Amino acid sequence: MLYKVKSPPTTRLQKIQKSAVETHRSANQHAKECFNSLTGPRRVGPVPGFFKPIQNAAPSSSTSRNTKISVVGAGNVGMAIAQTILTQDLVDELALVDAKPDKLRGEMLDLQHAAAFLPRTKILASVDYSATVGSDLCIVTAGARQIAGESRLNLLQRNVALFRDIIPPLVKYSPDCILMIVSNPVDVLTYVAWKLSGLPPNRVVGSGTNLDSSRFRFLIADHLDVNAQEVQACIIGEHGDSSVALWSSISVGGVPILSFLEKQQIAYEKETLEKIHKAVVDSAYEVISLKGYTSWAIGYSAANLARSILRDQRKIHPVSVLAKGLYGIQGGDDVFLSLPAVLGRAGVLGVTDVHLTDEEARRLRESARTISEVQSQLGI
Protein backbone atom coordinates (compact mmCIF):
# COMPACT_ATOMS: atom_id res chain seq x y z
CA MET A 1 0.00 0.00 0.00
CA LEU A 2 1.47 3.34 -1.09
CA TYR A 3 -0.67 5.55 1.07
CA LYS A 4 -2.31 5.06 4.42
CA VAL A 5 -5.58 6.91 4.87
CA LYS A 6 -5.47 8.92 8.04
CA SER A 7 -8.59 9.94 9.89
CA PRO A 8 -9.07 13.71 10.05
CA PRO A 9 -8.16 15.26 13.41
CA THR A 10 -10.97 15.77 15.87
CA THR A 11 -11.86 19.44 16.14
CA ARG A 12 -12.55 21.22 19.44
CA LEU A 13 -16.19 21.63 18.42
CA GLN A 14 -16.56 17.89 17.79
CA LYS A 15 -15.04 17.14 21.20
CA ILE A 16 -17.49 19.52 22.86
CA GLN A 17 -20.43 17.99 20.96
CA LYS A 18 -19.36 14.44 21.89
CA SER A 19 -18.96 15.44 25.52
CA ALA A 20 -22.40 17.06 25.54
CA VAL A 21 -24.06 13.92 24.13
CA GLU A 22 -22.31 11.68 26.69
CA THR A 23 -23.27 14.05 29.52
CA HIS A 24 -26.90 14.07 28.34
CA ARG A 25 -27.06 10.26 28.23
CA SER A 26 -25.42 10.01 31.64
CA ALA A 27 -27.90 12.50 33.09
CA ASN A 28 -30.82 10.58 31.59
CA GLN A 29 -29.55 7.31 33.07
CA HIS A 30 -29.03 8.92 36.48
CA ALA A 31 -32.54 10.38 36.40
CA LYS A 32 -34.01 6.96 35.59
CA GLU A 33 -32.07 5.33 38.45
CA CYS A 34 -33.24 8.01 40.89
CA PHE A 35 -36.85 7.67 39.79
CA ASN A 36 -36.70 3.85 39.95
CA SER A 37 -35.33 4.04 43.50
CA LEU A 38 -38.50 5.93 44.48
CA THR A 39 -41.12 4.10 42.46
CA GLY A 40 -39.53 0.86 41.27
CA PRO A 41 -39.00 -0.08 37.60
CA ARG A 42 -41.38 1.18 34.92
CA ARG A 43 -44.63 -0.79 34.75
CA VAL A 44 -47.99 -0.65 33.03
CA GLY A 45 -50.63 1.22 35.02
CA PRO A 46 -50.40 3.47 38.10
CA VAL A 47 -47.36 3.05 40.37
CA PRO A 48 -48.35 1.48 43.72
CA GLY A 49 -47.94 3.98 46.53
CA PHE A 50 -47.70 6.96 44.22
CA PHE A 51 -51.43 7.03 43.39
CA LYS A 52 -54.24 6.08 45.75
CA PRO A 53 -56.76 3.67 44.21
CA ILE A 54 -60.50 4.33 44.04
CA GLN A 55 -62.40 2.15 46.50
CA ASN A 56 -64.23 -0.84 44.99
CA ALA A 57 -62.97 0.01 41.50
CA ALA A 58 -63.52 -2.52 38.70
CA PRO A 59 -60.45 -3.72 36.76
CA SER A 60 -59.62 -2.14 33.41
CA SER A 61 -61.54 -3.51 30.46
CA SER A 62 -59.61 -6.08 28.44
CA THR A 63 -61.55 -5.26 25.27
CA SER A 64 -59.99 -1.85 24.69
CA ARG A 65 -57.62 -1.63 21.71
CA ASN A 66 -55.12 1.08 20.90
CA THR A 67 -55.02 2.71 17.49
CA LYS A 68 -51.60 2.74 15.86
CA ILE A 69 -50.03 4.51 12.89
CA SER A 70 -46.55 3.82 11.56
CA VAL A 71 -44.67 6.36 9.45
CA VAL A 72 -41.81 5.07 7.31
CA GLY A 73 -39.31 7.82 6.53
CA ALA A 74 -38.23 10.44 9.08
CA GLY A 75 -37.44 13.15 6.55
CA ASN A 76 -39.18 16.52 6.25
CA VAL A 77 -42.41 15.03 4.89
CA GLY A 78 -42.53 12.10 7.31
CA MET A 79 -41.98 14.29 10.34
CA ALA A 80 -44.54 16.87 9.19
CA ILE A 81 -47.07 14.03 8.93
CA ALA A 82 -46.07 12.65 12.33
CA GLN A 83 -46.28 16.06 13.99
CA THR A 84 -49.72 16.77 12.49
CA ILE A 85 -51.05 13.35 13.51
CA LEU A 86 -49.89 14.01 17.08
CA THR A 87 -51.41 17.48 17.37
CA GLN A 88 -54.73 16.23 15.98
CA ASP A 89 -54.91 13.38 18.53
CA LEU A 90 -55.52 10.68 15.91
CA VAL A 91 -53.75 7.71 17.53
CA ASP A 92 -52.72 6.09 20.78
CA GLU A 93 -49.37 4.92 19.40
CA LEU A 94 -47.08 6.33 16.73
CA ALA A 95 -44.12 4.38 15.35
CA LEU A 96 -41.35 5.96 13.27
CA VAL A 97 -39.06 3.91 11.03
CA ASP A 98 -36.00 5.16 9.18
CA ALA A 99 -32.62 3.85 8.02
CA LYS A 100 -30.68 6.56 9.92
CA PRO A 101 -30.68 5.60 13.62
CA ASP A 102 -29.23 8.82 15.03
CA LYS A 103 -31.61 11.12 13.20
CA LEU A 104 -34.48 8.79 14.03
CA ARG A 105 -33.73 8.81 17.75
CA GLY A 106 -33.30 12.58 17.69
CA GLU A 107 -36.69 13.08 16.04
CA MET A 108 -38.34 10.70 18.52
CA LEU A 109 -36.83 12.48 21.53
CA ASP A 110 -37.78 15.88 20.12
CA LEU A 111 -41.42 14.77 19.87
CA GLN A 112 -41.40 13.02 23.24
CA HIS A 113 -40.10 16.18 24.94
CA ALA A 114 -43.28 17.94 23.77
CA ALA A 115 -45.47 15.41 25.64
CA ALA A 116 -46.72 18.03 28.10
CA PHE A 117 -48.21 20.05 25.23
CA LEU A 118 -49.73 17.15 23.25
CA PRO A 119 -52.47 14.56 23.67
CA ARG A 120 -51.12 11.40 25.34
CA THR A 121 -49.55 9.27 22.61
CA LYS A 122 -46.89 6.60 22.89
CA ILE A 123 -44.06 7.46 20.49
CA LEU A 124 -41.42 4.95 19.50
CA ALA A 125 -38.81 4.70 16.78
CA SER A 126 -36.64 1.97 15.31
CA VAL A 127 -34.69 0.96 12.23
CA ASP A 128 -36.38 -2.45 12.64
CA TYR A 129 -39.84 -2.90 11.12
CA SER A 130 -40.93 -4.99 14.10
CA ALA A 131 -41.71 -1.64 15.75
CA THR A 132 -44.65 -1.29 13.36
CA VAL A 133 -46.36 -4.48 14.58
CA GLY A 134 -50.13 -4.19 14.90
CA SER A 135 -50.43 -0.96 12.91
CA ASP A 136 -53.85 0.10 11.66
CA LEU A 137 -52.34 2.43 9.10
CA CYS A 138 -48.83 2.45 7.60
CA ILE A 139 -47.79 5.67 5.85
CA VAL A 140 -44.79 5.41 3.53
CA THR A 141 -42.89 8.63 2.79
CA ALA A 142 -39.44 7.15 2.12
CA GLY A 143 -37.98 7.59 -1.33
CA ALA A 144 -34.72 7.95 -3.22
CA ARG A 145 -33.63 11.45 -4.17
CA GLN A 146 -32.93 12.27 -7.78
CA ILE A 147 -29.27 12.59 -8.71
CA ALA A 148 -28.22 15.38 -11.07
CA GLY A 149 -28.60 14.15 -14.65
CA GLU A 150 -30.51 11.02 -13.60
CA SER A 151 -33.50 9.98 -15.71
CA ARG A 152 -36.94 9.75 -14.15
CA LEU A 153 -37.09 6.05 -15.03
CA ASN A 154 -33.80 5.28 -13.27
CA LEU A 155 -34.99 7.17 -10.18
CA LEU A 156 -38.23 5.23 -10.25
CA GLN A 157 -36.39 1.91 -10.49
CA ARG A 158 -34.31 2.84 -7.43
CA ASN A 159 -37.52 3.61 -5.56
CA VAL A 160 -38.98 0.26 -6.61
CA ALA A 161 -35.87 -1.44 -5.16
CA LEU A 162 -36.38 0.56 -1.95
CA PHE A 163 -40.03 -0.47 -1.76
CA ARG A 164 -39.02 -4.13 -2.01
CA ASP A 165 -37.31 -3.62 1.36
CA ILE A 166 -40.17 -1.62 2.89
CA ILE A 167 -43.54 -3.05 1.89
CA PRO A 168 -43.15 -6.80 2.65
CA PRO A 169 -42.01 -6.32 6.29
CA LEU A 170 -44.79 -3.78 6.91
CA VAL A 171 -47.39 -6.31 5.77
CA LYS A 172 -45.62 -9.09 7.68
CA TYR A 173 -45.96 -7.26 11.00
CA SER A 174 -49.35 -5.66 10.25
CA PRO A 175 -51.26 -7.98 7.88
CA ASP A 176 -54.55 -6.16 8.54
CA CYS A 177 -53.19 -2.65 7.96
CA ILE A 178 -54.10 -0.09 5.34
CA LEU A 179 -51.15 1.18 3.31
CA MET A 180 -50.96 4.87 2.44
CA ILE A 181 -48.25 5.85 -0.04
CA VAL A 182 -46.99 9.43 -0.06
CA SER A 183 -43.62 8.89 -1.81
CA ASN A 184 -43.37 10.26 -5.35
CA PRO A 185 -44.21 9.49 -8.09
CA VAL A 186 -47.14 8.55 -5.90
CA ASP A 187 -49.42 6.90 -8.47
CA VAL A 188 -46.81 4.49 -9.81
CA LEU A 189 -45.41 3.72 -6.34
CA THR A 190 -48.92 3.04 -5.02
CA TYR A 191 -49.27 0.47 -7.80
CA VAL A 192 -45.85 -0.97 -6.84
CA ALA A 193 -46.86 -1.14 -3.16
CA TRP A 194 -50.08 -2.94 -4.08
CA LYS A 195 -48.19 -5.51 -6.16
CA LEU A 196 -45.54 -6.10 -3.47
CA SER A 197 -47.99 -6.23 -0.55
CA GLY A 198 -50.47 -8.78 -1.83
CA LEU A 199 -53.22 -6.75 -0.11
CA PRO A 200 -56.63 -6.23 -1.72
CA PRO A 201 -56.77 -2.95 -3.70
CA ASN A 202 -59.16 -1.24 -1.28
CA ARG A 203 -56.45 -1.38 1.43
CA VAL A 204 -53.75 0.36 -0.64
CA VAL A 205 -54.21 4.07 -1.29
CA GLY A 206 -51.97 6.90 -2.49
CA SER A 207 -52.16 10.48 -1.22
CA GLY A 208 -52.70 11.39 -4.88
CA THR A 209 -54.28 14.73 -5.70
CA ASN A 210 -55.77 15.35 -2.25
CA LEU A 211 -53.20 18.11 -1.76
CA ASP A 212 -53.54 19.35 -5.37
CA SER A 213 -57.27 19.75 -4.78
CA SER A 214 -56.60 21.70 -1.58
CA ARG A 215 -54.33 24.06 -3.52
CA PHE A 216 -57.02 24.35 -6.18
CA ARG A 217 -59.67 25.24 -3.60
CA PHE A 218 -57.34 27.78 -2.00
CA LEU A 219 -56.69 29.61 -5.28
CA ILE A 220 -60.41 29.80 -6.11
CA ALA A 221 -61.32 30.88 -2.57
CA ASP A 222 -58.57 33.49 -2.55
CA HIS A 223 -59.85 34.91 -5.84
CA LEU A 224 -63.45 35.07 -4.56
CA ASP A 225 -62.44 36.13 -1.02
CA VAL A 226 -64.28 33.27 0.71
CA ASN A 227 -63.28 30.46 3.06
CA ALA A 228 -61.64 27.58 1.18
CA GLN A 229 -63.96 25.15 3.00
CA GLU A 230 -66.87 26.69 1.11
CA VAL A 231 -65.31 25.73 -2.22
CA GLN A 232 -66.01 22.29 -3.67
CA ALA A 233 -63.38 21.63 -6.33
CA CYS A 234 -61.50 18.54 -7.36
CA ILE A 235 -58.42 17.59 -9.36
CA ILE A 236 -58.16 13.98 -10.53
CA GLY A 237 -55.81 11.82 -12.57
CA GLU A 238 -52.05 11.81 -12.17
CA HIS A 239 -50.44 13.67 -9.31
CA GLY A 240 -48.39 15.60 -11.82
CA ASP A 241 -48.45 17.44 -15.12
CA SER A 242 -51.29 15.38 -16.67
CA SER A 243 -53.75 15.97 -13.83
CA VAL A 244 -57.32 17.00 -14.71
CA ALA A 245 -59.18 19.94 -13.14
CA LEU A 246 -62.93 19.24 -12.96
CA TRP A 247 -64.17 22.71 -13.77
CA SER A 248 -67.65 21.42 -14.65
CA SER A 249 -68.33 20.35 -11.05
CA ILE A 250 -66.87 23.31 -9.11
CA SER A 251 -69.27 24.99 -6.71
CA VAL A 252 -69.03 27.70 -4.06
CA GLY A 253 -71.58 27.55 -1.27
CA GLY A 254 -73.53 25.04 -3.36
CA VAL A 255 -73.65 27.30 -6.43
CA PRO A 256 -72.11 25.74 -9.59
CA ILE A 257 -69.57 28.28 -10.81
CA LEU A 258 -69.64 27.76 -14.58
CA SER A 259 -73.45 27.49 -14.70
CA PHE A 260 -73.71 30.71 -12.68
CA LEU A 261 -71.38 32.57 -15.06
CA GLU A 262 -73.33 31.38 -18.07
CA LYS A 263 -76.73 32.33 -16.58
CA GLN A 264 -75.42 35.74 -15.63
CA GLN A 265 -73.93 36.05 -19.11
CA ILE A 266 -70.52 36.71 -17.61
CA ALA A 267 -67.82 35.92 -20.11
CA TYR A 268 -64.82 33.85 -19.11
CA GLU A 269 -61.95 32.52 -21.14
CA LYS A 270 -60.79 28.93 -21.17
CA GLU A 271 -57.19 30.18 -21.01
CA THR A 272 -57.93 31.77 -17.62
CA LEU A 273 -59.09 28.43 -16.27
CA GLU A 274 -56.00 26.71 -17.65
CA LYS A 275 -53.76 29.27 -15.96
CA ILE A 276 -55.34 28.53 -12.58
CA HIS A 277 -54.84 24.78 -13.12
CA LYS A 278 -51.23 25.37 -14.15
CA ALA A 279 -50.68 27.42 -10.99
CA VAL A 280 -51.85 24.39 -8.99
CA VAL A 281 -49.44 22.07 -10.82
CA ASP A 282 -46.54 24.52 -10.46
CA SER A 283 -47.20 25.45 -6.83
CA ALA A 284 -45.17 22.55 -5.44
CA TYR A 285 -42.22 23.46 -7.66
CA GLU A 286 -42.43 27.04 -6.38
CA VAL A 287 -42.35 25.94 -2.74
CA ILE A 288 -39.41 23.63 -3.45
CA SER A 289 -37.50 26.39 -5.22
CA LEU A 290 -38.04 28.72 -2.25
CA LYS A 291 -37.47 26.45 0.76
CA GLY A 292 -35.98 23.30 -0.77
CA TYR A 293 -38.86 20.92 -0.06
CA THR A 294 -42.58 20.74 0.72
CA SER A 295 -43.71 19.49 4.11
CA TRP A 296 -46.52 21.23 6.00
CA ALA A 297 -49.25 21.01 3.38
CA ILE A 298 -48.63 17.32 2.67
CA GLY A 299 -48.46 16.75 6.43
CA TYR A 300 -51.97 18.15 6.87
CA SER A 301 -53.18 16.32 3.75
CA ALA A 302 -51.96 12.91 4.98
CA ALA A 303 -53.37 13.51 8.47
CA ASN A 304 -56.67 14.50 6.86
CA LEU A 305 -56.76 11.16 5.02
CA ALA A 306 -55.72 9.26 8.16
CA ARG A 307 -58.60 10.80 10.11
CA SER A 308 -61.14 9.80 7.46
CA ILE A 309 -59.81 6.23 7.45
CA LEU A 310 -59.32 5.56 11.15
CA ARG A 311 -62.45 7.41 12.31
CA ASP A 312 -64.52 5.76 9.54
CA GLN A 313 -65.78 9.18 8.47
CA ARG A 314 -66.84 8.13 4.94
CA LYS A 315 -65.53 11.39 3.49
CA ILE A 316 -64.79 11.78 -0.21
CA HIS A 317 -61.18 12.49 -1.14
CA PRO A 318 -59.38 12.55 -4.51
CA VAL A 319 -56.81 9.84 -3.82
CA SER A 320 -54.86 7.34 -5.89
CA VAL A 321 -56.87 4.12 -6.23
CA LEU A 322 -57.06 1.18 -8.63
CA ALA A 323 -58.88 2.81 -11.54
CA LYS A 324 -59.29 -0.05 -14.02
CA GLY A 325 -62.86 -0.20 -15.31
CA LEU A 326 -63.79 3.21 -13.89
CA TYR A 327 -64.57 6.32 -15.97
CA GLY A 328 -63.85 4.43 -19.18
CA ILE A 329 -60.29 3.51 -18.15
CA GLN A 330 -59.64 0.15 -19.78
CA GLY A 331 -56.63 -1.71 -21.13
CA GLY A 332 -54.54 -4.66 -20.05
CA ASP A 333 -52.60 -2.90 -17.29
CA ASP A 334 -53.84 -2.05 -13.82
CA VAL A 335 -53.29 1.59 -13.08
CA PHE A 336 -53.59 3.73 -9.95
CA LEU A 337 -54.59 7.37 -10.26
CA SER A 338 -56.66 9.84 -8.30
CA LEU A 339 -60.44 9.61 -8.35
CA PRO A 340 -62.99 10.92 -5.82
CA ALA A 341 -63.14 8.01 -3.36
CA VAL A 342 -65.07 7.36 -0.16
CA LEU A 343 -62.63 6.52 2.67
CA GLY A 344 -63.43 4.61 5.84
CA ARG A 345 -62.14 2.00 8.24
CA ALA A 346 -61.84 -0.59 5.46
CA GLY A 347 -59.86 1.78 3.25
CA VAL A 348 -61.43 2.67 -0.09
CA LEU A 349 -65.16 2.01 0.25
CA GLY A 350 -66.05 3.11 -3.27
CA VAL A 351 -65.47 5.66 -6.02
CA THR A 352 -68.09 8.33 -6.69
CA ASP A 353 -69.61 8.55 -10.14
CA VAL A 354 -68.99 12.23 -10.88
CA HIS A 355 -70.27 13.51 -14.21
CA LEU A 356 -67.38 14.42 -16.52
CA THR A 357 -67.56 16.42 -19.71
CA ASP A 358 -66.26 14.70 -22.83
CA GLU A 359 -63.04 16.72 -22.63
CA GLU A 360 -62.50 15.90 -18.95
CA ALA A 361 -63.05 12.19 -19.62
CA ARG A 362 -60.60 12.30 -22.54
CA ARG A 363 -57.94 14.00 -20.43
CA LEU A 364 -58.43 11.49 -17.63
CA ARG A 365 -57.87 8.58 -20.02
CA GLU A 366 -54.74 10.32 -21.34
CA SER A 367 -53.50 10.69 -17.77
CA ALA A 368 -54.08 6.96 -17.22
CA ARG A 369 -52.09 6.14 -20.38
CA THR A 370 -49.21 8.34 -19.19
CA ILE A 371 -48.97 6.40 -15.91
CA SER A 372 -49.45 3.04 -17.63
CA GLU A 373 -46.56 3.71 -20.02
CA VAL A 374 -44.21 4.36 -17.09
CA GLN A 375 -45.41 1.25 -15.24
CA SER A 376 -44.83 -0.95 -18.27
CA GLN A 377 -41.08 -0.25 -18.04
CA LEU A 378 -40.76 -1.46 -14.43
CA GLY A 379 -41.12 -5.18 -15.02
CA ILE A 380 -43.33 -5.79 -12.00
Side-chain angles (χ1 to χ4, degrees), residues 17-43:
Q17 290 173 333
K18 183 178 180 181
S19 175
V21 170
E22 291 174 350
T23 301
H24 172 74
R25 287 177 178 168
S26 177
N28 275 349
Q29 184 61 33
H30 181 66
K32 289 179 181 178
E33 291 172 356
C34 291
F35 189 78
N36 286 343
S37 68
L38 293 173
T39 63
R42 182 180 178 182
R43 53 175 62 82

Side-chain angles (χ1 to χ4, degrees), residues 155-220:
L155 172 64
L156 184 54
Q157 288 172 333
R158 288 200 294 125
N159 274 311
V160 170
L162 184 63
F163 267 45
R164 291 187 190 277
D165 295 330
I166 292 174
I167 302 302
L170 283 178
V171 177
K172 172 187 173 183
Y173 287 109
S174 302
D176 298 322
C177 76
I178 294 168
L179 280 177
M180 183 195 299
I181 309 303
V182 180
S183 312
N184 279 316
V186 67
D187 302 298
V188 178
L189 289 180
T190 304
Y191 164 80
V192 170
W194 173 56
K195 284 292 188 180
L196 294 175
S197 69
L199 295 176
N202 63 297
R203 284 170 50 198
V204 182
V205 61
S207 56
T209 56
N210 193 55
L211 177 53
D212 305 64
S213 298
S214 175
R215 290 166 174 152
F216 194 32
R217 293 168 66 186
F218 162 73
L219 289 173
I220 295 169

Side-chain angles (χ1 to χ4, degrees), residues 132-372:
T132 67
V133 65
S135 295
D136 299 279
L137 177 65
C138 293
I139 304 175
V140 181
T141 71
R145 293 187 177 231
Q146 191 163 16
I147 302 170
E150 182 180 32
S151 69
R152 184 185 182 196
L153 178 60
N154 189 63
L155 172 64
L156 184 54
Q157 288 172 333
R158 288 200 294 125
N159 274 311
V160 170
L162 184 63
F163 267 45
R164 291 187 190 277
D165 295 330
I166 292 174
I167 302 302
L170 283 178
V171 177
K172 172 187 173 183
Y173 287 109
S174 302
D176 298 322
C177 76
I178 294 168
L179 280 177
M180 183 195 299
I181 309 303
V182 180
S183 312
N184 279 316
V186 67
D187 302 298
V188 178
L189 289 180
T190 304
Y191 164 80
V192 170
W194 173 56
K195 284 292 188 180
L196 294 175
S197 69
L199 295 176
N202 63 297
R203 284 170 50 198
V204 182
V205 61
S207 56
T209 56
N210 193 55
L211 177 53
D212 305 64
S213 298
S214 175
R215 290 166 174 152
F216 194 32
R217 293 168 66 186
F218 162 73
L219 289 173
I220 295 169
D222 190 53
H223 180 72
L224 298 176
D225 196 23
V226 297
N227 191 311
Q229 294 182 359
E230 297 299 324
V231 178
Q232 298 301 314
C234 187
I235 287 180
I236 61 175
E238 178 196 18
H239 172 59
D241 296 341
S242 70
S243 63
V244 183
L246 299 186
W247 287 102
S248 63
S249 60
I250 293 176
S251 65
V252 177
V255 180
I257 287 293
L258 295 191
S259 297
F260 173 80
L261 294 177
E262 289 171 359
K263 287 180 181 179
Q264 297 297 319
Q265 296 183 346
I266 299 174
Y268 64 91
E269 295 181 351
K270 184 179 178 181
E271 290 74 14
T272 302
L273 306 185
E274 291 296 334
K275 285 180 180 178
I276 295 177
H277 179 213
K278 188 176 187 305
V280 173
V281 174
D282 292 343
S283 58
Y285 301 126
E286 181 181 8
V287 174
I288 291 171
S289 69
L290 292 170
K291 61 178 277 191
Y293 55 90
T294 62
S295 57
W296 297 119
I298 187 59
Y300 280 103
S301 175
N304 176 244
L305 298 176
R307 177 182 292 275
S308 290
I309 292 170
L310 296 181
R311 301 280 173 85
D312 198 30
Q313 291 193 334
R314 312 292 176 109
K315 285 189 174 181
I316 298 172
H317 299 269
V319 288
S320 193
V321 298
L322 183 61
K324 188 175 181 179
L326 300 171
Y327 290 96
I329 297 171
Q330 301 296 337
D333 296 328
D334 296 317
V335 64
F336 277 70
L337 51 73
S338 286
L339 296 173
V342 183
L343 298 184
R345 200 60 186 79
V348 181
L349 306 181
V351 174
T352 57
D353 188 14
V354 178
H355 172 73
L356 305 183
T357 65
D358 291 342
E359 183 178 0
E360 289 168 346
R362 178 185 61 79
R363 289 190 173 188
L364 179 61
R365 290 191 293 270
E366 287 179 357
S367 188
R369 279 194 294 272
T370 299
I371 297 170
S372 181

